[in-house]
Amino acid sequence: MSATNPVEAAAAADKPKKAASVSALNPLDLFDVRSMLSEEETMVQDTVARFVDDQVLPVIRESFEQHRFPKELIPGIAELGLLGSSLHGYDCAGLNSVSYGLICQELERGDSGLRSFVSVQSSLCMYPIYTFGSDEQKERWLPPMARGEAIGCFGLTEPHGGSDPGNMKTHAKRDGSDWILNGSKMWITNGTIADVAVVWARTDEGVKGFLLEKGMKGFDAPEIENKMSLRASVTSALFFDNVRVPEANVLPGVSSLRGPLSCLNQARYGICWGPIGAAQACLAEMLEYTETRELFGRPLSHTQLIQSRLAEMARQITMAQLLALRLGRLKDEGRVDPAQVSLAKWNNVRMALDIARDARDMLGGSGISAEYVPIRHMLNLESVITYEGTESVHQLVVGKELTGQSAF
Ligand code: TGC
Ligand code: FAD
């Protein structure tokens, strides 16, 4: 930290020296949701939490400021078995859905960008290869992806409107035993660093998934610059100009929009958990800050309005934790419905975004500095509330479930 930067210097002076809870309860888990976890789930959470504390938090602020994905963390993430953690075989950990949720929660306590990396690699690239791929495709891609040696991305969104993937323009035509692919994708996480891209395209035989490999002629994946959100994550455009794709690179198990949408269920599920971590990070910092920040002769935490706002944060986090755990148990029982995932994604991302914005305000001027975590989480969550289905899309999914009428 530069001693000559007045914002950082002021922020450093404001920083309290110790954590500050007099509560007998855990302020970040008021209903002791942790006691409802199995021994294995608790161990997974603790392991990822340690990784985030030791490896992520020391570097993440600088990565965000430099608009740089901390690629150097990938080997550590892979070593812990966090890539494709719910898959069985192929060097994957075979953990249950609640464990995957806890992984997302702890990673997003560090930064949404890191959770995004793991979500896309696991749920949007490894999952479709695992579910719809041939034996050769699985053998070729899944083990190196689990080891973090190969990176994947998922191309569904197109520049003219991501909420309506049924209107996709990217298309592929058979040419002998190959396919010729044309079109473009936008806002693709990991795109520029991906060794393999799962690209969805319209064909005469329905919507198909193509495995595009880095370096294929006519395939380009430039990074999108100047993002004010998810700055510690790579986001790219994908361009396909007559890319020749062999049949061996087509996912054999899918030929409709149902395929890519079922992958979204997996990633959206993880996003139901991730933002809880971001919200906990904000509340933790606010509990410290408001205890030591003195205004009008007393600590902020002694005022009614601030206590009301802290209590509201704890209330929202508690409800989100219970919702996520119930969703995870349903998923592990094999009876989760996409509308339930939509409701939880909508609720839990909205919860975290509201908390991050309120925490930013409670910090006053210091709240605009990345010295404190809320503004980074707040800016990240603006992406999280948009991707994997906007808030409105999820409200309409729930509306359709309630009324039986599609209002899209
Ligand atoms: P609709 O007619 O409703 O459905 C078409 C077919 O798909 C089936 N389906 C689903 N299947 C599984 N899971 C789901 N969630 C499904 N939703 C629909 C449906 O049953 C039907 O099947 P079939 O066999 O009868 O044909 O389709 P629609 O065109 O009306 O659109 C529905 C809508 C709007 C909900 C859907 O298109 C949608 O979800 N839009 C939002 C798109 C989106 O979320 N994109 C995300 C891109 S990936 C991303 O953002 C990654 S960010 C990752 C990170 O960095 O963390
Ligand atoms: P649009 O679909 O144009 O929506 C614009 C507005 O219209 C929104 O407010 C929306 O809620 C509203 N709207 C849409 N339909 C309706 C309706 N029927 N009624 C009322 N309002 C409506 N995509 C991928 O495929 N892969 C990725 O890896 C990926 N990563 C991403 C990473 C980041 C950082 C971001 C920001 C996006 C990423 N996306 C990815 C894209 C993301 O899924 C889309 O941005 C999202 O689905 C919304 O699409 P859009 O941006 O085109 O907005």
Side-chain angles (χ1 to χ4, degrees), residues 171-220:
H171 58 277
K173 268 194 165 26
R174 278 190 188 275
D175 185 50
S177 62
D178 296 337
W179 293 79
I180 305 296
L181 186 81
N182 278 289
S184 62
K185 301 286 175 181
M186 190 63 183
W187 303 115
I188 307 304
T189 302
N190 296 350
T192 310
I193 58 169
D195 300 285
V196 58
V198 175
V199 172
W200 300 96
R202 180 175 299 291
T203 77
D204 291 342
E205 299 158 41
V207 170
K208 284 186 167 288
F210 295 82
L211 301 183
L212 264 65
E213 298 175 33
K214 199 183 199 108
M216 277 182 161
K217 193 160 177 277
F219 174 34
D220 196 17

Side-chain angles (χ1 to χ4, degrees), residues 154 156-157 161-163 187-189 230 383 386-388 390 392 408:
F154 175 92
L156 180 64
T157 303
S163 300
W187 303 115
I188 307 304
T189 302
L230 282 191
S383 283
T386 292
Y387 67 35
E388 291 288 355
T390 64
S392 302
F408 288 105

Side-chain angles (χ1 to χ4, degrees), residues 55-85:
Q55 309 285 323
V56 178
L57 294 181
V59 302
I60 199 62
R61 177 187 136 195
E62 200 172 272
S63 292
F64 183 92
E65 287 176 0
Q66 293 172 351
H67 206 311
R68 184 185 75 82
F69 171 60
K71 227 178 153 183
E72 64 277 12
L73 296 176
I74 295 176
I77 290 173
E79 178 99 343
L80 294 179
L82 310 188
L83 302 177
S85 61

Side-chain angles (χ1 to χ4, degrees), residues 112-392:
S112 303
L114 214 57
R115 196 268 309 135
S116 264
F117 169 77
V118 170
S119 289
V120 169
Q121 177 89 344
S122 304
S123 294
L124 292 181
C125 197
M126 295 175 77
Y127 174 83
I129 294 173
Y130 182 85
T131 309
F132 305 121
S134 65
D135 288 345
E136 294 73 25
Q137 291 166 348
K138 291 183 214 182
E139 289 295 348
R140 172 156 182 215
W141 289 111
L142 296 179
M145 291 184 80
R147 293 194 297 267
E149 293 160 6
I151 306 304
C153 71
F154 175 92
L156 180 64
T157 303
E158 300 193 351
H160 57 272
S163 300
D164 184 15
N167 185 33
M168 79 174 64
K169 312 276 191 234
T170 298
H171 58 277
K173 268 194 165 26
R174 278 190 188 275
D175 185 50
S177 62
D178 296 337
W179 293 79
I180 305 296
L181 186 81
N182 278 289
S184 62
K185 301 286 175 181
M186 190 63 183
W187 303 115
I188 307 304
T189 302
N190 296 350
T192 310
I193 58 169
D195 300 285
V196 58
V198 175
V199 172
W200 300 96
R202 180 175 299 291
T203 77
D204 291 342
E205 299 158 41
V207 170
K208 284 186 167 288
F210 295 82
L211 301 183
L212 264 65
E213 298 175 33
K214 199 183 199 108
M216 277 182 161
K217 193 160 177 277
F219 174 34
D220 196 17
E223 185 164 359
I224 297 172
E225 307 285 351
N226 305 321
K227 287 180 301 169
M228 301 306 291
S229 174
L230 282 191
R231 288 172 62 82
S233 167
V234 173
T235 315
S236 314
L238 307 182
F239 296 110
F240 322 110
D241 180 10
N242 285 314
V243 184
R244 181 170 289 277
V245 188
E247 178 69 32
N249 285 39
V250 181
L251 296 174
V254 55
S255 56
S256 83
L257 197 56
R258 182 179 275 272
L261 292 182
S262 65
C263 302
L264 297 186
N265 291 335
Q266 309 304 316
R268 288 170 178 173
Y269 165 76
I271 295 174
C272 296
W273 288 79
I276 295 170
Q280 286 175 320
C282 292
L283 176 56
E285 198 157 69
M286 286 311 92
L287 291 172
E288 287 191 1
Y289 181 83
T290 58
E291 192 195 51
T292 53
R293 182 73 168 175
E294 290 203 9
L295 292 165
F296 300 101
R298 59 184 171 162
L300 268 183
S301 62
H302 295 197
T303 66
Q304 289 188 351
L305 283 178
I306 290 293
Q307 286 193 13
S308 165
R309 291 163 78 177
L310 294 172
E312 172 64 10
M313 290 181 184
R315 180 175 78 88
Q316 295 289 352
I317 289 172
T318 301
M319 291 191 300
Q321 286 170 313
L322 292 168
L323 195 57
L325 185 61
R326 173 66 184 148
L327 189 73
R329 295 286 180 235
L330 284 173
K331 190 161 162 56
D332 279 326
E333 290 166 19
R335 55 194 191 102
V336 75
D337 187 278
Q340 294 169 324
V341 177
S342 280
L343 188 141
K345 197 260 181 187
W346 160 25
N347 184 79
N348 288 10
V349 183
R350 165 57 59 190
M351 166 286 296
L353 182 55
D354 287 348
I355 285 176
R357 284 176 179 165
D358 201 35
R360 206 290 314 144
D361 177 79
M362 283 162 71
L363 286 159
S366 299
I368 70 159
S369 167
E371 181 79 11
Y372 291 90
V373 300
I375 195 157
R376 176 166 54 80
H377 284 300
M378 182 190 100
L379 291 169
N380 284 338
L381 288 160
E382 294 290 348
S383 283
V384 181
I385 205 163
T386 292
Y387 67 35
E388 291 288 355
T390 64
E391 187 171 59
S392 302

Side-chain angles (χ1 to χ4, degrees), residues 11-137:
D14 288 345
K15 280 242 171 187
K17 300 291 176 278
K18 64 177 181 64
S21 174
V22 291
S23 170
L25 303 173
N26 176 353
L28 303 184
D29 183 11
L30 280 183
F31 272 52
D32 199 11
V33 170
R34 188 172 155 90
S35 66
M36 296 158 77
L37 303 177
S38 70
E39 205 176 317
E40 180 178 81
E41 290 159 356
T42 306
M43 201 181 73
V44 168
Q45 179 171 27
D46 289 347
T47 305
V48 185
R50 262 195 310 277
F51 174 77
V52 169
D53 289 340
D54 296 347
Q55 309 285 323
V56 178
L57 294 181
V59 302
I60 199 62
R61 177 187 136 195
E62 200 172 272
S63 292
F64 183 92
E65 287 176 0
Q66 293 172 351
H67 206 311
R68 184 185 75 82
F69 171 60
K71 227 178 153 183
E72 64 277 12
L73 296 176
I74 295 176
I77 290 173
E79 178 99 343
L80 294 179
L82 310 188
L83 302 177
S85 61
S86 311
L87 306 182
H88 295 266
Y90 306 100
D91 291 351
C92 298
L95 298 174
N96 70 1
S97 301
V98 169
S99 296
Y100 175 50
L102 291 163
I103 290 169
C104 291
Q105 180 179 310
E106 289 306 323
L107 288 175
E108 198 146 352
R109 184 168 61 80
D111 193 86
S112 303
L114 214 57
R115 196 268 309 135
S116 264
F117 169 77
V118 170
S119 289
V120 169
Q121 177 89 344
S122 304
S123 294
L124 292 181
C125 197
M126 295 175 77
Y127 174 83
I129 294 173
Y130 182 85
T131 309
F132 305 121
S134 65
D135 288 345
E136 294 73 25
Q137 291 166 348

